[in-house]
Amino acid sequence: MNFSRRNFIVAATAFAASSTTAASAISSSAFGVGGVLPDLPRAPLPGAIAGGSAVLPAMPAVRAGVAPALFDAAMAALDKHGGRVMRDRIGIVDFSASSSDPRLHLVDLVGGTTSTLHVAHGSGSDPNHTGWLQRFSNSPGSNATSEGAYLTSDYYFGRHGRSQRLIGLDATNNNALDRAIVIHGAWYAEPSMIAVHGKLGRSQGCLAVGDSLLNRAFDHLGSGRLIYAAKVA
């Protein structure tokens, strides 16, 4: 085909017009009027705040190692006391297990991971030192462990070194602060005790973990989070 100068100009003009029309159509459909990107629905980020409460993703992985009934009870306690505690991480203590088993579950509800530590119970909860918690008590002087939901509070240095106060949120443990029920480190709660005695030693009702493991518990929990301790069949 032979192109004259006039034919070339006509062809170029037609191409430019069609390109402009196509670009306009793409701009209108993809970016909205005026080339502004329209608002699109977005999924909430893990831990984002919606209506004052953290939106927690469904992550079955966090249940790993935690009895389902106990996990559900802990989540119910988190909902019940949600106005007082942060909802990103939680501690769950399974007192249906022996002290020879790791039973303090440190659960990251946002990241979907769980790690577990050994923790001792009170001598008043296991008078014969069997390694199994026999009973709970909220009474002063009982030296027993209390069940229920706790709020982690401030740190202090006492007879066991760095420790953390606990506030009992339920009728079953609301004397925790007055009883000085805390998280602290203890030589008798080291996992090495199990190889020798088959169980951990006992506290006076506190949640005692091995001195070498204490920082792992503190780093996970911090202040303002929930610990749920119970014995669920």
Side-chain angles (χ1 to χ4, degrees):
M1 179 181 292
N2 294 324
F3 282 96
S4 66
R5 176 180 179 83
R6 180 177 179 278
N7 288 338
F8 178 80
I9 294 173
V10 170
T13 302
F15 176 78
S18 63
S19 299
T20 301
T21 302
S24 176
I26 292 172
S27 175
S28 297
S29 62
F31 296 99
V33 178
V36 178
L37 186 67
D39 290 332
L40 299 175
R42 300 180 183 179
L45 295 174
I49 301 300
S53 298
V55 178
L56 300 177
M59 291 189 175
V62 301
R63 293 176 179 262
V66 186
L70 179 62
F71 185 88
D72 291 344
M75 291 301 98
L78 189 62
D79 289 339
K80 177 182 178 181
H81 302 292
R84 299 188 62 179
V85 300
M86 290 186 280
R87 298 175 59 90
D88 55 344
R89 297 193 293 275
I90 187 175
I92 304 175
V93 190
D94 186 357
F95 280 123
S96 63
S98 166
S99 67
S100 62
D101 298 321
R103 53 186 181 171
L104 169 55
H105 303 281
L106 304 176
V107 181
D108 183 341
L109 294 169
V110 176
T113 59
T114 299
S115 61
T116 311
L117 305 177
H118 287 83
V119 62
H121 53 248
S123 60
S125 290
D126 180 14
N128 296 321
H129 199 187
T130 64
W132 297 88
L133 182 143
Q134 307 294 327
R135 67 183 185 94
F136 292 108
S137 178
N138 191 32
S139 300
S142 67
N143 288 340
T145 298
S146 299
E147 65 179 325
Y150 295 87
L151 171 67
T152 59
S153 188
D154 59 310
Y155 296 99
Y156 70 98
F157 282 87
R159 58 181 294 193
H160 297 288
R162 189 181 183 213
S163 305
Q164 184 174 29
R165 292 183 175 90
L166 298 175
I167 298 172
L169 301 179
D170 296 326
T172 54
N173 66 353
N174 57 10
N175 288 326
L177 203 58
D178 291 339
R179 294 180 60 207
I181 300 301
V182 304
I183 302 174
H184 66 75
W187 61 269
Y188 57 78
E190 290 286 355
S192 58
M193 293 290 292
I194 298 166
V196 179
H197 302 285
K199 53 186 174 288
L200 300 183
R202 299 166 297 170
S203 69
Q204 292 180 307
C206 295
L207 299 180
V209 301
D211 289 314
S212 64
L213 303 173
L214 186 61
N215 285 338
R216 285 179 56 187
F218 285 166
D219 290 346
H220 174 85
L221 292 167
S223 180
R225 292 186 174 87
L226 189 110
I227 297 176
Y228 184 73
K231 185 177 182 179
V232 177

